[in-house]
Amino acid sequence: MTGLRTKTRSKMLIGSVLLALSMSSTGVRAAPEDAADPILRFLGQQTQKASETASDLIMSAMNFLGVRYRFGGTSEETGFDCSGFTRHVFENSVGLLLPRRASEQAEVAGLLTVRKEDLKPGDLVFFNTMRRAFSHVGIYVGDGKFIHAPRTGSSIRVDDMNQSYWTTRFDGARRAPQVNPDAPVVLR
């Protein structure tokens, strides 16, 4: 059990550092000092913008910060690839079983198309990273950021969608109605 606690603390430390850096680089103002942990401050800010279900989904995703990438991976123990990560988080947070591939997740009946300017925490965000549409997926966490399993040799992390690499590769976003039921959408 001690190893599990150490692993969890390590993830929280990694998450704290990543989110603190991302908040300072974007000019996000911190919450009052009584929220000591940067992750809790960030998530508290995002909670105001998201449904309770979306907040739970984001918290679940953040628990995997630092888990290694593995092509075809579907678990914390063996590692995740991008779609294995989103599938795992959605299934265990809201009971929505997504298909195994990113391109298939983008086409799920019942998911709603969302414009970039209407993104809400918990939305799936898709990118063209392999010269084909919808080849990469992550979960929008708010403030222009998303969490994802990026590539071999890396681990689950939060990145800024406004970086030129991600901006030029953005393919679209989808919303599960059970995550953000009252947010605006564009029907496909």
Side-chain angles (χ1 to χ4, degrees):
M1 192 60 130
T2 303
L4 182 59
R5 280 193 205 126
T6 302
K7 189 175 180 181
T8 301
R9 285 185 190 143
S10 296
K11 286 185 200 176
M12 293 301 286
L13 178 60
I14 290 168
S16 296
V17 170
L18 287 170
L19 289 170
L21 288 172
S22 68
M23 286 178 3
S24 65
S25 69
T26 59
V28 174
R29 295 188 342 179
E33 288 304 316
D34 59 340
D37 188 336
I39 285 180
L40 295 177
R41 285 196 309 254
F42 178 78
L43 291 173
Q45 292 167 349
Q46 299 313 311
T47 300
Q48 296 172 352
K49 302 175 191 172
S51 72
E52 186 175 321
T53 303
S55 296
D56 291 345
L57 185 133
I58 299 302
M59 285 292 286
S60 174
M62 292 292 183
N63 284 327
F64 296 106
L65 283 169
V67 171
R68 71 185 176 96
Y69 177 95
R70 179 173 168 248
F71 182 77
T74 59
S75 73
E76 181 177 13
E77 295 77 25
T78 61
F80 288 108
D81 67 7
C82 67
S83 58
F85 171 64
T86 55
R87 178 184 171 128
H88 183 86
V89 170
F90 272 77
E91 180 179 8
N92 291 291
S93 297
V94 296
L96 176 61
L97 184 59
L98 295 171
R100 183 61 194 87
R101 298 179 53 156
S103 59
E104 294 168 347
Q105 290 181 9
E107 300 302 322
V108 169
L111 292 186
L112 307 167
T113 300
V114 181
R115 295 184 308 236
K116 192 173 186 179
E117 59 271 15
D118 293 328
L119 285 171
K120 298 286 181 198
D123 289 343
L124 290 167
V125 288
F126 295 90
F127 303 88
N128 177 343
T129 59
M130 300 177 76
R131 298 186 184 155
R132 67 176 188 273
F134 306 111
S135 54
H136 186 68
V137 62
I139 302 169
Y140 187 72
V141 298
D143 195 37
K145 311 249 184 307
F146 73 111
I147 185 169
H148 64 129
R151 65 181 176 279
T152 301
S154 189
S155 58
I156 293 175
R157 67 181 186 217
V158 175
D159 274 328
D160 188 334
M161 289 178 54
N162 296 316
Q163 290 176 338
S164 62
Y165 179 85
W166 297 114
T167 300
T168 59
R169 289 166 175 80
F170 181 75
D171 270 341
R174 305 289 184 266
R175 176 170 300 142
Q178 59 268 50
V179 175
N180 278 303
D182 299 324
V185 296
V186 175
L187 297 175
R188 283 193 274 166

